[in-house]
Amino acid sequence: MWSGGFLAMSLVTDAFVSQIAAVEPWPENATLYQPLKGEQVLLSDNASCLAVQAFLQMCNLPVQVVCRANAEYMSPSGKVPFIHVGNQVISELGPIVQFVKAKGHSLSDGLDEVQKAEMKAYMELVNNMLLTAELYIQWCDEATLEEITLPRYSSPYSWPLNSILVLLKKWEIKRKMKAIGWGGKKLEQVYEDFDQCCQALSQRLGTQPYFFNKQPTELDALVFGHLFTILTTQLTNDELREKVKNYSNLIAFCRRIEQNYFEDHDRDSSSSSSLRLLKGPTL
């Protein structure tokens, strides 16, 4: 009885704390944590971090980016990025979008229910196809694994910890690939799936500046994070980059967000030193 009552009280307390946190304004010292930018972060994590940074920029919410070698292990979900806002720690784009919405900031409030459902469907497509393709190439393609993934992922740690962490991560990703039916895929099939996703995104975007016309949503932030990172990351070959370059409206889309939400913020913001950490090479 006592343990059940304690659990109920704990849940009530957590809900109360969350409500209080939602009422509090966005602080100036909000922090986003990600892996080391230059020598450690992998393509998929870099894309996810950039997507969250783009989303916060679109919401006009200031955040200080901090790179930590152990960011993955600091995260409550084991995934990057995560943000520290007040006494709250939230990881990954979806939960961060919900947390920001609770504070009164939303990019998708202007959409009707049909549009919101469509937006969520395209976000699922990006996560199921683009992100999965990035993970596959990093951990299942032997050339990329040996030349890029292993040296970068293990770089902050000494032997034998570095080897242990690599083996654990490789096992985790391969188990995930097997569970979703990607375990037996060939690299060419992965490239084909990636291209089909880009084609679907290009068709949905059309000639609009953003996926839902004139204002960006969290979908735009997510797509930008992945496509911009692919366009500006050196891999063992240029297959992914060339696939994206086949769609001129996606290239223009990436340039538009970079210029509107990163270059302009760098010029206007007094904290431009932190914003420079966000930028990759220009397209």
Side-chain angles (χ1 to χ4, degrees):
M1 277 298 285
W2 185 84
S3 61
F6 178 80
L7 177 59
M9 181 62 73
S10 176
L11 292 172
V12 170
T13 303
D14 289 346
F16 178 73
V17 169
S18 296
Q19 287 180 338
I20 294 297
V23 172
E24 293 174 350
W26 188 268
E28 290 296 321
N29 63 345
T31 308
L32 182 148
Y33 289 88
Q34 66 175 46
L36 301 178
K37 187 80 173 170
E39 62 272 25
Q40 179 192 23
V41 71
L42 299 179
L43 172 67
S44 59
D45 287 343
N46 203 21
S48 297
C49 292
L50 184 58
V52 170
Q53 292 167 26
F55 170 74
L56 294 175
Q57 294 280 38
M58 290 170 179
C59 293
N60 201 27
L61 296 173
V63 66
Q64 174 75 34
V65 177
V66 174
C67 298
R68 292 281 172 83
N70 62 340
E72 178 182 352
Y73 304 102
M74 294 168 63
S75 168
S77 69
K79 296 181 179 179
V80 292
F82 68 93
I83 59 172
H84 183 199
V85 181
N87 62 353
Q88 303 287 303
V89 177
I90 311 96
S91 61
E92 303 178 75
L93 179 61
I96 289 171
V97 168
Q98 293 305 311
F99 176 77
V100 168
K101 183 176 181 179
K103 285 189 171 293
H105 305 274
S106 175
L107 298 178
S108 53
D109 271 356
L111 305 183
D112 60 33
E113 292 306 312
V114 173
Q115 290 174 318
K116 286 179 181 178
E118 185 182 8
M119 180 189 73
K120 289 177 182 177
Y122 274 95
M123 292 183 75
E124 282 296 309
L125 177 68
V126 172
N127 287 324
N128 291 339
M129 300 296 281
L130 296 191
L131 176 58
T132 306
E134 291 162 3
L135 290 170
Y136 179 99
I137 290 166
Q138 287 169 183
W139 294 98
C140 302
D141 173 53
E142 287 300 323
T144 306
L145 180 67
E146 292 296 326
E147 293 181 34
I148 296 174
T149 306
L150 298 187
R152 291 185 68 83
Y153 191 79
S154 64
S155 63
Y157 308 103
S158 56
W159 189 89
L161 179 60
N162 58 355
S163 297
I164 293 170
L165 292 177
V166 164
L167 287 173
L168 288 173
K169 191 68 176 182
K170 182 179 177 182
W171 178 77
E172 174 194 331
I173 299 299
K174 292 214 168 189
R175 185 178 63 171
K176 172 185 170 72
M177 293 298 157
K178 187 175 181 180
I180 63 175
W182 281 51
K185 282 198 177 187
K186 302 297 183 184
L187 187 57
E188 288 306 315
Q189 291 176 287
V190 173
Y191 288 143
E192 186 176 335
D193 288 345
F194 178 89
D195 185 57
Q196 288 178 354
C197 182
C198 288
Q199 183 178 5
L201 292 171
S202 176
Q203 289 175 348
R204 178 61 184 84
L205 180 64
T207 59
Q208 302 175 121
Y210 302 108
F211 283 97
F212 291 92
N213 205 1
K214 295 183 180 179
Q215 297 299 324
T217 66
E218 48 265 38
L219 171 61
D220 296 278
L222 178 64
V223 173
F224 170 76
H226 285 278
L227 296 187
F228 185 86
T229 302
I230 287 165
L231 287 165
T232 57
T233 300
Q234 185 64 51
L235 297 174
T236 55
N237 63 61
D238 291 334
E239 282 289 332
L240 292 184
R241 185 184 303 169
E242 291 305 314
K243 301 251 182 240
V244 178
K245 284 184 175 181
N246 287 333
Y247 302 97
S248 58
N249 62 339
L250 295 181
I251 297 293
F253 167 84
C254 288
R255 285 202 179 105
R256 184 176 302 113
I257 291 181
E258 182 194 20
Q259 290 166 359
N260 291 346
Y261 294 101
F262 290 93
E263 291 180 355
D264 286 352
H265 279 70
D266 276 356
R267 285 193 291 268
D268 298 341
S269 173
S270 60
S271 58
S272 59
S273 59
S274 65
L275 288 169
R276 277 197 293 269
L277 295 172
L278 309 185
K279 292 184 63 181
T282 54
L283 297 179

